[in-house]
Every structure is written in C-alpha cells, then in structure tokens.
Amino acid sequence: MSRFDFDNAPDRRGSGSYKWDSRPDVTPLWVADMDFRTAPCVISALRERVDHGVFGYTLVGRDYYDALVGWFSSRHGYDIDPSLVIYTSGVVPALSAVIKALVRPGDGVIVQTPVYNCFFSSIRNNGCRIVENPLLRRELGEGEFTYEMDFEGLERLCSDSGNTMLLLCNPHNPAGRCWTRGELERVTDIASRHGVRVVSDEIHCELTMPGYTYTPYGTIDPEAVVCLSPSKAFNTAGLQIANIVTPDAEVRAAVDRAININEVCDVNPFGVRALIASYSGEGAAWLGELREYLHGNYIMTRDIFRRKLPMCPMARLEATYLPWVDISAIGLGADALEERLMERAGVWVNSGVMYGADGYVRLNIACPRKLLEDALMRVTDIMASL
C-alpha cells in the first residue's frame, strides 16, 4: 500500500509558481518542475529550520557532505571525496561557472542535440562557440524511437583543437536516454585521447524508469567535472542547491574562482537542510514511490498517443519525466503547435526548437494522473484535428 499521495497535489496558482502563474489560464505541461509536494521528511526538516527563526549566512557542515557522499556511494557506487565538492545555487550556475573557468572565449563547446536549452545560453553567455554533434535517431517500431550518440561525429569534433569541452547530459534531457556504461566509456575514450574536458550534468540521475540504471560519469572518467542536485528528483528547485565534483586541484581552484566571480558561492539554509533530508532513508522511500508513479504516467501517456495519434511517435523514456514527441506529421512547426495548443487546448507544452530540434515537443508528465489524462486528451484531440 502506498505511503505517499501523488494523486492529489496542492493548487499552485497564485503561489508565485513560474510554471502555473506565467499563464494561469492554461494547464502547464512544460517547464521541468513537478506538481507533487516534496517528501514529508524534507517538509519536516524545513519546518524545523523555519521554527528556529533566524536565517543568517549559512555554514555548510559535515552533515551535508555525509548525506551527499553516503547517498551516491550506497545507491550508485559513486564514491565522492567531500574535499572535491564545491556547492553552489544550482546546476545552471554551476555549468556557467565551469565554462567560464575552463574554456577560453571563442573556443568550442560540444553539445549533443536535442539538448537542454540552458546549455546553449551558458555557452553563449561566456563568449564560447556552440558546436553541435546531433544525436542519431533510431526507430523502434510501435510508435517509439530512441537516440544514440554519433561517436564518429564526436571523434571528428573532439579532434578539432578549437573544441575543448563536451557538455554531457546524463541522463539526457529531452531525449530521455539513460546512457549505458558502454556508451559513456566510448565518450571517455574519445574525449581523453583528444584532451577534451567532459562536464556531466546529472540533475535527472534519480529519475530512471524500471529496467534502466544510471551510471555516474565520475565512476568512468576520474578527470570529469560532474554537476549534481536533488532538485529535480525531490521537487526542490526553488531552494537552490547543487554540487560540483571536481577531482583535479587546478580545475577545482579555477571553478571555485569562477563561482565567486559569478557571486553564486553562497547558499541558503533551506537548500542545505533539504539536501540532507532528501538524501536519507525516508527520502529514498518517497523517491521509490515517486518513480513508480511517474512510470505509470509515462505508460498512460505513451498509450494515449499510440491510440489517438499513431502518426506521432514518442521517444522511449528511459529516464526523466519529460516525454519527447515527434509532431512532424501534424504539418505545423513546433513553435506554432505550442501556441495552437495553448489557444485551443488550454495546455502549454515545450516546443522542440528551444532544444535545437523543430518538429518535436516536450511534455512534462510529473503531475497527478487525472490532471495529466485530461490535458493529454485535449492535446491529442486538437492535434488530431489539424
């Protein structure tokens, strides 16, 4: 019997929610933000901290590092030396600081498109070049497809001395891939032979589907920079906490300097307490039930599209809660379809253009099942009529 209620969620309209209050007149299936209350143990930890009543500058103590290290060691076999960790306010600030620290303006940063939109802005904002190595689509049949890395393309781009970094999304948003150890080993081989630094964004690492296993990139490439946060798995993005694992001392010093230059070196007490509570036995129990619920939502979403829009295949979802749908058969570009669905279905989805791939949309299925089903029926009805 379930201990946690994912079928009922608080009304977020009027709460200052970026997801719900940006367009209060539509059902939001867009930004990667769940509608579920976070784990009860996190709420209890935050309530206790609020009751203290003083919210001054935060000292990140040993209990924080113990929670982080213990979680990744016990769950993923990833042994993190706490002396190699730099904390910051989020994975996007972390990525921007790492690029600032390690890539010269004008140098190329490789990304594997379609990919998280903030990769593009983080590269551009630091005066660097976006170098695309598009993922290869593979058809699976029965309304499904998947992606593979283009290792020949990656080899070619890494061999160019003007490209000095690869941003890896592990698991991959929005392609939904949970990269295998073998795939990540090939990335390491190529990058290391050409002196390309790999930076791995692993913010979705806890959100794998049944049958798939997250492989921490840091267990394969000891020189990599790895960015971690509990925010996606525990729905705590607004508490602003993340960690950068930087094994090389010179790299760590450069990243730490960039973190301070960008003024994202301080964190708040709520993010610290939330991480400690998340990375606990109670947090793990809640996460286990969340993952089962998200899998149920995915199966329902996949089946609705198969039944009502067989011409619109979906990427097999191995990780994240963000299905990726091919809408090319509809005859509208993704930006136009996003607008049409808001106007006529009252549902907001993400256009694939922002991830570097027109002809696709991204859905967020991390909400109560009844709400999701209602929104999907409206979406597919409108799409089928176009």
Side-chain angles (χ1 to χ4, degrees), residues 127-172:
C128 302
R129 292 182 296 107
I130 298 166
V131 179
E132 295 189 34
N133 183 48
L135 297 172
L136 302 174
R137 176 168 160 167
R138 295 287 181 257
E139 302 304 319
L140 298 174
E142 297 185 344
E144 282 191 317
F145 62 95
T146 191
Y147 288 97
E148 298 174 357
M149 294 190 206
D150 180 358
F151 290 109
E152 291 184 5
L154 186 61
E155 182 89 45
R156 183 177 64 256
L157 294 176
C158 286
S159 68
D160 182 338
S161 61
N163 301 327
T164 58
M165 179 177 286
L166 166 65
L167 290 189
L168 179 69
C169 201
N170 175 42
H172 194 95

Side-chain angles (χ1 to χ4, degrees), residues 45-75:
L46 294 177
R47 185 172 290 122
E48 180 181 343
R49 188 64 186 83
V50 167
D51 287 345
H52 183 265
V54 180
F55 314 114
Y57 297 117
T58 302
L59 175 67
V60 178
R62 179 173 176 176
D63 51 353
Y64 177 91
Y65 295 102
D66 286 347
L68 173 70
V69 170
W71 179 270
F72 279 92
S73 177
S74 62
R75 286 180 66 90

